[in-house]
Amino acid sequence: MIAKLLLRVQALEAQLAQNSSNSSRPPSTDPPGAAPAAKPRAKSGRRRGGQPGHKKHQRVLLPPERVTETTSLRPTGCRRCAKPLTGSDPEPYQHQVVEIPRLLAQGHDYWLHSLFCETCKIYTRAELPVGVPTGNFGPRLQAMIAVCSGQYHMSKRMIEEMMSDFFDAKLCLGSVSNLEQDTSEALAAPVAEAAEYVKEQPIKHADETGWTEAKKRAWLWVVVTSNVAVFLIRRSRGAVVAKELLRAVFTGILNSDRWSGYNWIPTSMRQLCWAHLVRHFKGFEDNGVHGKRIGLSLQDCTERMFGHWHRVRDGTLQRSSFQQYMRPIRSEIRDLLRQGSLCDVPKVAGCCREILKLQAALFTFVRVAGVEPTNNTAEQAVRRPVLWRKACFGTDSESGSRFVERILTVVATLRMQKRNVLDYVTVACEARLRGHAAPSLLPQPILTELRAIAA
């Protein structure tokens, strides 16, 4: 009984010691004084700020075509003796002041006349020209509202106040929601095209996080490639959604965590996130002597592995040499996991057994070029939506979820491609008003190649 109670106390203490550095818990759940997720760096002894010889960083001046006014100033006298000065400096110092003019929303009136037909005895009203919205707001204002919501995560009331304060444009909260839905429809086709594109890519990163739809539990999924990211909100966290995102007949390599929703993918076509694994290894330290020994040994192996990997990433170590260096490390990690699976601590043993079941997915990044050992790409993609969720508490309807997943897809993809989000959404809204196709989210070189193949 004493032995059982000691194990129980040990398990409870380990559970109490959990935080973001030794488990999968998010940093927002850490209590005050929790251990940091990363080891603090040792002080270098250097002064703060730029160091001697560092690359210079300075503000980029606006080009001449963006300069609306130029004032040339000459000194009237010497700053020491006050003697009058004449002449001109061939290379004067340029001091540029950037200002935003006061912007007021502009109205365009359309007077629709209704004329009476003597033959039919009815009135006929003139129709709006093609491209003119039937609502009261234009495509650029509509796009700005969508971007404020989807990229800057402003609430509807904040958007209402901002449009009034910045542009003297009066909207109600219902108009903000309606414009978001119109924008969602305008973005539907290019987002669907992007969703099909990511399924064909050789390397994909996937992750999921909690969401709320109509006050019920839902999940926000994301799949990220080198230049396109696609989001999806569904009520399930199961494999059916993963297959919707990645296609049931999976191709390529998937980088993810150990969530069971991805277990339908062959382990040889997966790469497990080592950042998650390291946190579990740190958690072993709080599970008795045997757990601590296994955890510290696995952390040592991981540290050596990442040391070699960083050199490969920086170009200072060839991949062939990296593969040779990894052979003993891989064997040592597998041996330690086998020892851990036989440990007398249930949590450590269970975790090691689960990892061993997926051991074929531990070192895919060693044999396949372009694969990362961590899933940080997908985790960074969901970080901003998580902050949005905490502020807005999710969505109230399926149509609201469609807007969220589409605008997040557009924002994340265009940021990866360094394209202007507001300009793109404006053009997409204008295209919908004219009955045209919205511009593609795919990178321009890829889009040109796909069109050439289709032709």
Side-chain angles (χ1 to χ4, degrees):
M1 184 180 293
I2 292 175
K4 290 181 179 180
L5 289 175
L6 287 175
L7 288 175
R8 177 62 174 165
V9 170
Q10 180 178 292
L12 291 174
E13 289 180 342
Q15 183 178 353
L16 189 62
Q18 282 187 355
N19 54 58
S20 60
S21 68
N22 57 18
S23 69
S24 297
R25 295 177 56 177
S28 58
T29 63
D30 285 349
K39 295 180 180 179
R41 295 183 179 180
K43 294 184 178 181
S44 63
R46 297 180 296 182
R47 296 175 58 185
R48 294 179 61 183
Q51 303 300 316
H54 80 289
K55 184 178 179 181
K56 186 177 182 180
H57 295 279
Q58 61 184 15
R59 185 176 62 85
V60 179
L61 300 178
L62 295 178
E65 60 269 18
R66 295 273 302 279
V67 177
T68 57
E69 185 178 358
T70 300
T71 302
S72 184
L73 303 173
R74 293 176 174 82
T76 58
C78 176
R79 60 187 175 89
R80 175 175 295 179
C81 66
K83 178 181 178 180
L85 300 175
T86 59
S88 180
D89 184 357
E91 296 182 359
Y93 175 78
Q94 182 181 5
H95 174 75
Q96 188 178 84
V97 178
V98 179
E99 179 61 293
I100 298 177
R102 177 173 170 78
L103 301 176
L104 295 177
Q106 298 177 344
H108 187 161
D109 286 345
Y110 293 87
W111 294 90
L112 306 180
H113 292 263
S114 297
L115 302 181
F116 184 74
C117 175
E118 295 291 345
T119 303
C120 301
K121 306 300 182 182
I122 61 172
Y123 283 91
T124 301
R125 177 183 291 176
E127 296 182 354
L128 290 171
V130 176
V132 177
T134 56
N136 302 114
F137 305 101
R140 189 166 184 81
L141 187 148
Q142 174 183 340
M144 184 173 294
I145 287 175
V147 171
C148 285
S149 179
Q151 182 170 12
Y152 302 107
H153 311 321
M154 298 173 62
S155 68
K156 291 176 174 55
R157 192 171 299 279
M158 290 175 64
I159 294 174
E160 177 193 21
E161 295 173 355
M162 186 208 70
M163 299 304 293
S164 176
D165 293 341
F166 283 19
F167 311 109
D168 196 24
K170 308 300 182 183
L171 295 87
C172 63
L173 294 178
S175 296
V176 175
S177 295
N178 293 337
L179 290 172
E180 288 180 349
Q181 291 307 310
D182 290 343
T183 306
S184 178
E185 294 298 324
L187 300 176
V191 169
E193 180 188 32
E196 292 300 317
Y197 169 79
V198 298
K199 295 175 183 178
E200 304 291 340
Q201 299 312 294
I203 300 175
K204 295 173 274 284
H205 297 254
D207 199 10
E208 67 290 327
T209 186
W211 195 261
T212 301
E213 182 182 282
K215 298 182 180 180
K216 294 182 179 179
R217 186 63 164 168
W219 297 91
L220 175 70
W221 294 71
V222 66
V223 56
V224 186
T225 65
S226 60
N227 45 33
V228 175
V230 175
F231 290 82
L232 204 63
I233 295 177
R234 293 292 183 267
R235 292 286 182 87
S236 170
R237 198 189 179 191
V240 62
V241 185
K243 292 179 181 179
E244 181 183 355
L245 263 176
L246 304 169
R247 188 180 288 125
V249 182
F250 182 78
T251 57
I253 301 293
L254 176 68
N255 198 319
S256 69
D257 54 22
R258 293 188 295 117
W259 175 241
S260 59
Y262 305 110
N263 285 349
W264 55 276
I265 301 174
T267 53
S268 60
M269 303 171 70
R270 294 181 61 185
Q271 170 61 58
L272 296 185
C273 176
W274 274 92
H276 284 77
L277 298 177
V278 169
R279 288 197 290 268
H280 287 301
F281 298 159
K282 289 182 178 179
F284 290 175
E285 297 182 32
D286 300 316
N287 288 271
V289 177
H290 297 296
K292 184 174 183 178
R293 181 183 63 81
I294 296 294
L296 291 175
S297 299
L298 285 169
Q299 289 179 62
D300 177 68
C301 293
T302 306
E303 187 173 348
R304 284 184 281 137
M305 179 186 74
F306 274 106
H308 297 320
W309 166 252
H310 291 157
R311 291 184 58 196
V312 175
R313 187 185 59 186
D314 298 339
T316 58
L317 180 65
Q318 294 184 355
R319 177 164 289 274
S320 58
S321 301
F322 171 62
Q323 292 172 339
Q324 292 180 3
Y325 294 163
M326 281 298 300
R327 287 172 185 168
I329 296 178
R330 293 171 63 174
S331 299
E332 187 175 353
I333 290 176
R334 288 195 180 100
D335 291 341
L336 288 169
L337 289 173
R338 293 189 186 99
Q339 294 176 30
S341 66
L342 302 175
C343 179
D344 57 357
V345 181
K347 180 180 177 180
V348 175
C351 185
C352 289
R353 283 195 293 267
E354 290 177 3
I355 297 174
L356 284 172
K357 291 179 183 178
L358 302 172
Q359 60 178 305
L362 290 176
F363 304 105
T364 306
F365 75 100
V366 178
R367 60 182 177 83
V368 181
V371 178
E372 295 280 336
T374 69
N375 196 31
N376 290 344
T377 300
E379 292 188 351
Q380 290 170 1
V382 300
R383 190 170 298 163
R384 290 166 66 101
V386 166
L387 297 177
W388 190 10
R389 179 200 67 203
K390 290 180 179 295
C392 71
F393 306 105
T395 47
D396 292 330
S397 63
E398 289 187 11
S399 59
S401 295
R402 298 294 82 75
F403 167 73
V404 168
E405 64 188 26
R406 289 168 183 170
I407 194 65
L408 287 177
T409 296
V410 169
V411 170
T413 298
L414 295 181
R415 288 179 64 210
M416 293 169 68
Q417 300 176 17
K418 301 188 184 306
R419 295 163 63 184
N420 188 283
V421 178
L422 179 59
D423 289 346
Y424 174 89
V425 179
T426 301
V427 173
C429 294
E430 291 175 344
R432 181 170 183 267
L433 290 172
R434 298 181 180 276
H436 298 163
S440 175
L441 286 171
L442 305 187
Q444 193 59 39
I446 295 176
L447 185 61
T448 303
E449 181 180 351
L450 291 176
R451 288 174 176 172
I453 295 174

